[in-house]
Amino acid sequence: MEFFNWYIIWLMILFSLLSPSPSFMQASNGYDPLSLTNFLHDYANASLRNLHTGTLYNISLPANFSGMEASFVRILSAKFWSRGANFSSFYIPPKVIPMPSGRRLAIVFENLGNWSSLYYKVSNYTLVAPVVGFMAYDSPSGTVIGNQKLTFTADGDPITIRFPHIDAAQGENMTRKCVQFGDWGTFEITNMTSENECITRGIGHFSIVVASPPTPAPAPGKKKRNRKWFVVGIVFGLAFLGLVMIVTFKLLTRRKLKSMEKQSEKDVAFDTFWVGRSKMPSASMTRTQPYLEHEYVP
Ligand SMILES: *[C@@H]1O[C@H](CO)[C@@H](O)[C@H](O)[C@H]1NC(C)=O
Ligand SMILES: *[C@@H]1O[C@H](CO)[C@@H](O)[C@H](O)[C@H]1NC(C)=O
Ligand SMILES: *[C@@H]1O[C@H](CO)[C@@H](O)[C@H](O)[C@H]1NC(C)=O
Ligand SMILES: *[C@@H]1O[C@H](CO)[C@@H](O)[C@H](O)[C@H]1NC(C)=O
Ligand SMILES: *[C@@H]1O[C@H](CO)[C@@H](O)[C@H](O)[C@H]1NC(C)=O
Ligand SMILES: *[C@@H]1O[C@H](CO)[C@@H](O)[C@H](O)[C@H]1NC(C)=O
Ligand SMILES: *[C@@H]1O[C@H](CO)[C@@H](O)[C@H](O)[C@H]1NC(C)=O
Ligand SMILES: *[C@@H]1O[C@H](CO)[C@@H](O)[C@H](O)[C@H]1NC(C)=O
């Protein structure tokens, strides 16, 4: 029985090793853009005080984010609509409408610097500029930044993104393209509008990419599949081996029990009982039941 329990535990360990799919492992590498955005939101709210509207503030990030930059501005909605905003890497023209509307809005700008390719990946493309982004929130009086995320409706001129730094060496003669990242790892690739500019009509995260040099694609795919089948083979092999061992074990115990039974039939001529350390023969307790004569009523 104990053996059987161990076997079950073994199987569970093996299957838990096998089960996580590659996509799951990729998602849990610890660099989740959404949680970064939420972190910056909370950090801006916690670290900034006594703000002037219309002034851009650098957010000094914790040391373990070194290489990343973030800044914050709080703007009156009326001014935002009439004059637009020109901060960080973004030029937002007039007549962009934040939704839902309020008296003020707060914008958090990000530049992921050397962290860009950890948080954002574009299959078949290589990032050649840091990922920059901006998120807009409500800004109720009393707090620095609200919890309500805003969206922008730009019917007129689009928002312009100027990239502070483009890696010229990488993909030297290749066509650069703009990439806009959506939620859940989605992205959209468009043409650049000028030397180092992209345009957008909404909030989000942006970068520049070039097509990756074609990799010998089938080789890693095949290798991966082979390895997977190898693991599957090992697991089923072990499972089968375990089964065989269980059956053998059971057969052996049954045979042993039978021989023990036979042996005890031979050994125990008398019933025995123990007195201290010695085994004593004893007569059976049950004898022929005496019966009383007068009970017999003819
Ligand atoms: C904010 O940070 C950027 C980049 O580190 C720097 O160039 C700029 O001078 C800083 N601005 C202020 C007001 O500290
Ligand atoms: C930096 O440390 C904070 C906790 O102090 C943690 O929440 C955050 O995830 C860390 N950042 C990175 C990039 O590891
Ligand atoms: C980015 O660069 C800074 C130094 O500028 C370094 O401390 C940090 O570890 C780097 N981050 C990553 C993810 O490479
Ligand atoms: C926005 O500001 C940058 C400098 O920070 C300047 O070069 C650019 O001309 C400004 N754009 C507009 C449309 O005012
Ligand atoms: C990347 O390229 C490979 C082969 O060239 C193709 O099969 C795959 O669909 C591409 N992926 C995307 C997201 O375009
Ligand atoms: C911002 O911080 C204040 C206190 O520092 C807190 O009361 C408030 O709930 C925070 N707001 C958000 C949206 O996290
Ligand atoms: C890019 O093009 C130039 C000439 O247009 C050439 O000299 C150079 O070798 C090319 N670089 C690459 C990496 O192909
Ligand atoms: C993007 O640029 C290519 C040439 O560089 C052109 O053929 C294509 O039509 C452009 N796409 C759009 C949507 O403008």
Side-chain angles (χ1 to χ4, degrees):
M1 210 55 209
E2 202 176 321
F3 172 79
F4 189 68
N5 285 346
W6 274 113
Y7 172 68
I8 295 273
I9 291 169
W10 217 158
L11 264 194
M12 282 166 94
I13 291 173
L14 276 175
F15 277 110
S16 70
L17 281 180
L18 186 71
S19 54
S21 66
S23 62
F24 171 79
M25 274 151 72
Q26 206 167 14
S28 67
N29 68 353
Y31 300 106
D32 175 25
L34 197 59
S35 58
L36 177 66
T37 297
N38 291 336
F39 171 79
L40 291 175
H41 167 273
D42 295 347
Y43 199 78
N45 181 52
S47 62
L48 298 172
R49 287 285 166 272
N50 306 320
L51 300 168
H52 295 288
T53 52
T55 305
L56 186 73
Y57 293 91
N58 277 352
I59 304 171
S60 56
L61 294 173
N64 61 348
F65 285 100
S66 160
M68 207 184 280
E69 288 167 14
S71 51
F72 174 89
V73 68
R74 199 182 200 197
I75 312 174
L76 287 169
S77 296
K79 212 165 185 184
F80 182 74
W81 192 82
S82 62
R83 295 207 200 150
N86 187 14
F87 296 109
S88 185
S89 306
F90 298 91
Y91 171 67
I92 302 166
K95 300 194 176 77
V96 170
I97 303 166
M99 296 288 282
S101 59
R103 209 172 103 74
R104 270 185 303 258
L105 70 151
I107 307 179
V108 177
F109 298 99
E110 301 168 31
N111 180 343
L112 268 62
N114 57 352
W115 299 79
S116 297
S117 55
L118 289 173
Y119 282 94
Y120 291 95
K121 289 188 172 61
V122 190
S123 41
N124 298 344
Y125 288 91
T126 308
L127 297 180
V128 294
V131 170
V132 295
F134 71 116
M135 302 298 284
Y137 304 91
D138 63 335
S139 186
S141 37
T143 58
V144 172
I145 184 169
N147 269 327
Q148 173 77 55
K149 273 184 191 164
L150 308 183
T151 56
F152 285 173
T153 315
D155 289 332
D157 291 339
I159 296 163
T160 307
I161 307 147
R162 292 179 310 267
F163 285 90
H165 170 75
I166 297 176
D167 189 343
Q170 224 170 357
E172 201 183 336
N173 295 336
M174 317 258 291
T175 312
R176 293 184 187 134
K177 300 251 182 186
C178 302
V179 59
Q180 171 162 8
F181 298 98
D183 289 336
W184 324 120
T186 58
F187 57 85
E188 190 190 344
I189 288 173
T190 53
N191 287 347
M192 294 190 73
T193 45
S194 75
E195 187 61 25
N196 67 340
E197 278 183 5
C198 294
I199 55 168
T200 179
R201 293 191 175 272
I203 58 169
H205 292 84
F206 312 86
S207 190
I208 298 174
V209 291
V210 297
S212 296
T215 46
K222 206 173 168 187
K223 214 174 176 184
K224 211 179 232 173
R225 196 186 301 157
N226 276 348
R227 216 177 104 199
K228 196 168 166 193
W229 282 116
F230 180 68
V231 177
V232 170
I234 284 192
V235 168
F236 280 99
L238 282 175
F240 182 71
L241 199 73
L243 215 69
V244 169
M245 280 168 83
I246 282 187
V247 171
T248 321
F249 182 73
K250 281 201 167 162
L251 277 179
L252 277 177
T253 9
R254 194 171 297 167
R255 194 176 290 171
K256 206 171 174 188
L257 266 179
K258 262 191 186 155
S259 71
M260 273 165 78
E261 266 167 27
K262 257 183 207 163
Q263 191 63 33
S264 62
E265 269 165 26
K266 273 186 220 159
D267 282 355
V268 186
F270 296 102
D271 285 340
T272 53
F273 68 99
W274 291 88
V275 176
R277 282 167 168 254
S278 40
K279 207 177 187 183
M280 308 284 271
S282 80
S284 167
M285 291 299 284
T286 49
R287 298 173 188 219
T288 323
Q289 291 291 321
Y291 74 92
L292 300 174
E293 261 175 30
H294 67 254
E295 259 185 352
Y296 177 71
V297 183

